[in-house]
Amino acid sequence: MDFGQKLNARVQSSMRTTDFVFEPYQSDQIEQILEYRRDAFHDGVVQDGVITETADRSADEHGDARKAVDVLRIAGDIADDADAEVVSPEHVDKAVKRAEVNRVKETIESTSPQSKLVLYTLGRLTGSHNRRFRTSGIYSQYETTCGDVGADPLSYDRVSQILSTLALMGISESHQVGGGHKQGVYLEHQLIKDKDVVMKAVVESDERLSELHNGTYEI
C-alpha cells in the first residue's frame, strides 16, 4: 500500500499512478457466478443449498470467486470419490478444508525438505491448550522428528532461521517474549493456519512424512 510513497518525487510525477481497490465479492455475487458453473454437473446432481452454502462460506472467509469455484469443483470430486449420487452441503464442508490444504500445500512444496520437518514438528507440538512454543522446545522435538524419518538434524541456529522464514510465508508467526529476571528475551512460535490443515498439507508434500502416517493425515 505504501509502495508509491517510497519512490522519489520525479518517479512519482512521471508514473502518474491511480489507485484501484477491488472489493471482495459478496455472497449474492459469488452465488451468481457459481450458478454459471452448475452445468459442469449432471442435472439434479447439485443439491439445493449447495451453491448458496459455497457462496456464503466463500464470502465470509475471503470473497474470492476463483476460490469459490475451486471449492465447488472439489466438492464434486469428493462426492464422486464417495460414489454419492448428489453433491451435498456436507461435501462442501469437506471441500473448504481440502481447498485450504491445497493452498497451504502449494506454499509448503516450495520449501526445503528440512523446512517441512520443522513445520511438521511445530504442528505435532500444537494442541488445543498449548499453541506457542520456544525455539528450544521446537528444536528438541525436531531432533525426534529427524530420528523418526532418518534425517540428519540441522543446527539450532539454522532451525531458528527456518522458523523465521515460515513466519514470513504466513504459515506461522513469531513473538519476542521477555522472560523476566535472569531469563532474557526469547522467541515463541505458533501456527496461524489450522493445525490439521497444515499437518495434512505437509504430510502429503513429503514422502518421508507420508510413510510415517501410512500415506495420509486424516482430518
Side-chain angles (χ1 to χ4, degrees), residues 122-152:
L122 180 56
R124 283 185 66 183
L125 286 169
T126 301
S128 57
H129 300 295
N130 196 1
R131 300 184 58 83
R132 294 172 66 167
F133 308 91
R134 292 193 190 191
T135 307
S136 57
I138 294 172
Y139 187 78
S140 177
Q141 183 62 47
Y142 157 76
E143 290 181 308
T144 300
T145 298
C146 288
D148 290 340
V149 300
D152 295 326

Side-chain angles (χ1 to χ4, degrees), residues 62-95:
H62 46 70
D64 189 322
R66 291 186 183 89
K67 291 181 180 179
V69 171
D70 196 38
V71 167
L72 185 61
R73 176 188 60 78
I74 293 171
D77 290 341
I78 291 171
D80 189 41
D81 290 341
D83 292 326
E85 295 183 358
V86 295
V87 181
S88 68
E90 288 75 19
H91 295 130
V92 173
D93 188 55
K94 293 179 180 178

Side-chain angles (χ1 to χ4, degrees), residues 13-214:
S13 176
S14 62
M15 287 183 68
R16 288 183 277 183
T17 59
T18 302
D19 292 337
F20 291 94
V21 179
F22 295 92
E23 298 290 342
Y25 283 101
Q26 301 300 309
S27 180
D28 59 335
Q29 296 172 314
I30 295 177
E31 188 168 350
Q32 289 180 351
I33 292 168
L34 293 178
E35 282 292 345
Y36 286 109
R37 302 303 180 105
R38 187 187 286 271
D39 60 3
F41 301 87
H42 291 296
D43 291 340
V45 166
V46 179
Q47 274 189 345
D48 292 340
V50 163
I51 286 181
T52 300
E53 172 75 8
T54 305
D56 288 345
R57 294 283 294 270
S58 299
D60 186 53
E61 293 181 22
H62 46 70
D64 189 322
R66 291 186 183 89
K67 291 181 180 179
V69 171
D70 196 38
V71 167
L72 185 61
R73 176 188 60 78
I74 293 171
D77 290 341
I78 291 171
D80 189 41
D81 290 341
D83 292 326
E85 295 183 358
V86 295
V87 181
S88 68
E90 288 75 19
H91 295 130
V92 173
D93 188 55
K94 293 179 180 178
V96 169
K97 280 196 172 183
R98 180 73 253 184
E100 182 64 16
V101 168
N102 290 344
R103 285 192 288 272
V104 174
K105 187 177 175 182
E106 286 179 5
T107 302
I108 292 172
E109 285 178 338
S110 67
T111 66
S112 68
Q114 286 285 355
S115 295
K116 295 182 178 75
L117 297 183
V118 173
L119 181 58
Y120 174 81
T121 299
L122 180 56
R124 283 185 66 183
L125 286 169
T126 301
S128 57
H129 300 295
N130 196 1
R131 300 184 58 83
R132 294 172 66 167
F133 308 91
R134 292 193 190 191
T135 307
S136 57
I138 294 172
Y139 187 78
S140 177
Q141 183 62 47
Y142 157 76
E143 290 181 308
T144 300
T145 298
C146 288
D148 290 340
V149 300
D152 295 326
L154 299 176
S155 68
Y156 181 94
D157 287 344
R158 184 69 189 98
V159 169
S160 181
Q161 291 171 2
I162 288 174
L163 286 166
S164 297
T165 301
L166 292 173
L168 286 173
M169 296 171 70
I171 299 173
S172 64
E173 62 183 6
S174 303
H175 301 275
Q176 185 170 288
V177 179
H181 183 59
K182 294 184 179 180
Q183 293 189 40
V185 177
Y186 57 88
L187 287 177
E188 286 187 341
H189 313 272
Q190 70 179 76
L191 294 177
I192 56 176
K193 297 288 187 181
D194 180 82
K195 170 197 171 177
D196 288 334
V197 167
V198 171
M199 288 294 285
K200 186 171 181 63
V202 73
V203 166
E204 290 185 358
S205 68
D206 190 287
E207 186 176 339
R208 301 163 301 175
L209 297 174
S210 181
E211 290 177 357
L212 200 61
H213 285 267
N214 297 318

